[in-house]
């Protein structure tokens, strides 16, 4: 299901490229070690977006598709989860069930559909980890940094100046919140691009009103 979420995310980008007439490859999965087996997935563009609308579509399409897939997996996980007496929680955890992950707000809201009575605890199906990872990946991708999806979005909405300012600010945010590895990787990627975003071919025409509302 992790592969499904990541694949749906990248297919969102692919569909946006097809819709806007941008030549791009199908998604490629980057091999990684167990237990996940992948470092993520990518598509490769063969052309630049023509204008800010196309750049915005490219950025927002993946997170939107991945978000929908994550919600689906979270609901599926909830259906396969169990309320068990608190004394039996350790037994369920030994079988691969999950009870104590730092919960993003999205999954907290979904989990509220299964109220927990006193003396019981909700243990989540192992596939809950896929929903958790899907929420985390969507969050990371929406950060407005360099070439992340959030970087594409803010470049389309705010232009070159705000893209650079927010990239630096949120890179510092990652360091402050202890996500050192991710921050270092993004810093290196930013350096490879000269800490700039190429932007669309037409960087003068404004973003459409409908996309501003979606933003």
């Amino acid at each position: 299901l992790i592969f499904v979420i990541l694949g749906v995310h990248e297919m969102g980008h692919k569909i946006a490229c097809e819709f806007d007439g941008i030549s791009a490859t199908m998604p490629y999965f980057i091999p990684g070690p167990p237990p996940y087996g992948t470092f993520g997935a990518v598509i490769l563009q063969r052309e630049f977006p023509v204008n800010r609308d196309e750049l915005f579509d490219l950025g927002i399409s993946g997170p939107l598709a991945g978000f929908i897939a994550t919600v689906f997996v979270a609901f599926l996980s909830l259906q396969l989860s169990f309320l068990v007496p608190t004394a039996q929680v350790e037994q369920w955890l030994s079988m691969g069930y999950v009870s104590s992950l730092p919960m993003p707000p999205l999954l907290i809201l979904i989990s509220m559909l299964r109220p927990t009575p006193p003396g019981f605890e909700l243990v989540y199906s192992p596939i809950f980890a896929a929903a958790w990872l899907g929420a985390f990946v969507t969050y990371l991708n929406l950060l407005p940094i360099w070439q992340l999806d959030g970087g594409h979005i803010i470049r389309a909405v705010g232009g070159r100046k705000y893209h650079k300012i927010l990239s630096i600010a949120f890179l510092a945010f990652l360091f402050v919140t202890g996500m050192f590895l991710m921050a270092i990787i993004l810093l290196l990627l930013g350096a490879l691009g000269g800490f700039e975003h190429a932007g669309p071919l037409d960087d003068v025409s404004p973003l459409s009103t409908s996309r501003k509302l979606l933003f």
Side-chain angles (χ1 to χ4, degrees):
L1 286 174
I2 291 171
F3 277 81
V4 170
I5 293 173
L6 296 176
V8 168
H9 177 112
E10 293 303 323
M11 280 305 298
H13 290 310
K14 174 63 175 175
I15 292 170
C17 286
E18 291 294 321
F19 181 80
D20 288 330
I22 301 172
S23 178
T25 67
M26 292 295 289
Y28 293 107
F29 284 94
I30 304 169
Y36 303 117
T38 180
F39 284 117
V42 296
I43 67 168
L44 303 177
Q45 293 172 239
R46 300 189 182 97
E47 299 172 330
F48 285 102
V50 171
N51 51 39
R52 291 190 177 194
D53 283 352
E54 290 189 4
L55 179 59
F56 182 88
D57 293 346
L58 181 64
I60 199 69
S61 54
L64 277 180
F67 174 80
I68 293 169
T70 296
V71 170
F72 173 81
V73 173
F75 274 106
L76 178 61
S77 171
L78 196 64
Q79 292 300 313
L80 300 175
S81 300
F82 296 92
L83 286 169
V84 301
T86 302
Q88 298 179 15
V89 169
E90 292 299 325
Q91 175 185 348
W92 284 89
L93 296 184
S94 67
M95 293 187 290
Y97 284 76
V98 181
S99 70
S100 56
L101 285 173
M103 294 279 278
L106 170 68
L107 300 185
I108 291 174
L109 289 172
I110 293 174
S111 298
M112 288 171 65
L113 298 174
R114 291 286 297 271
T116 306
F120 286 80
E121 189 167 335
L122 182 64
V123 291
Y124 296 94
S125 161
I127 66 173
F128 178 80
W132 186 93
L133 187 65
F136 183 63
V137 168
T138 302
Y139 156 73
L140 284 180
N141 268 287
L142 282 173
L143 292 177
I145 301 176
W146 310 132
Q147 299 296 326
L148 293 181
D149 293 335
H152 295 325
I153 294 168
I154 205 65
R155 181 65 175 81
V157 174
R160 178 175 175 269
K161 177 183 176 181
Y162 287 104
H163 173 265
K164 179 168 284 190
I165 291 172
L166 289 173
S167 291
I168 295 170
F170 276 86
L171 196 63
F173 170 76
L174 288 179
F175 274 109
V176 170
T177 54
M179 298 183 64
F180 303 116
L181 180 59
M182 187 66 186
I184 290 170
I185 290 172
L186 290 174
L187 184 61
L188 293 174
L189 289 175
L192 289 174
F195 300 108
E196 291 283 354
H197 189 294
L201 296 175
D202 171 10
D203 205 9
V204 177
S205 300
L207 194 68
S208 68
T209 301
S210 60
R211 288 171 176 84
K212 288 178 182 177
L213 291 172
L214 182 57
F215 171 73

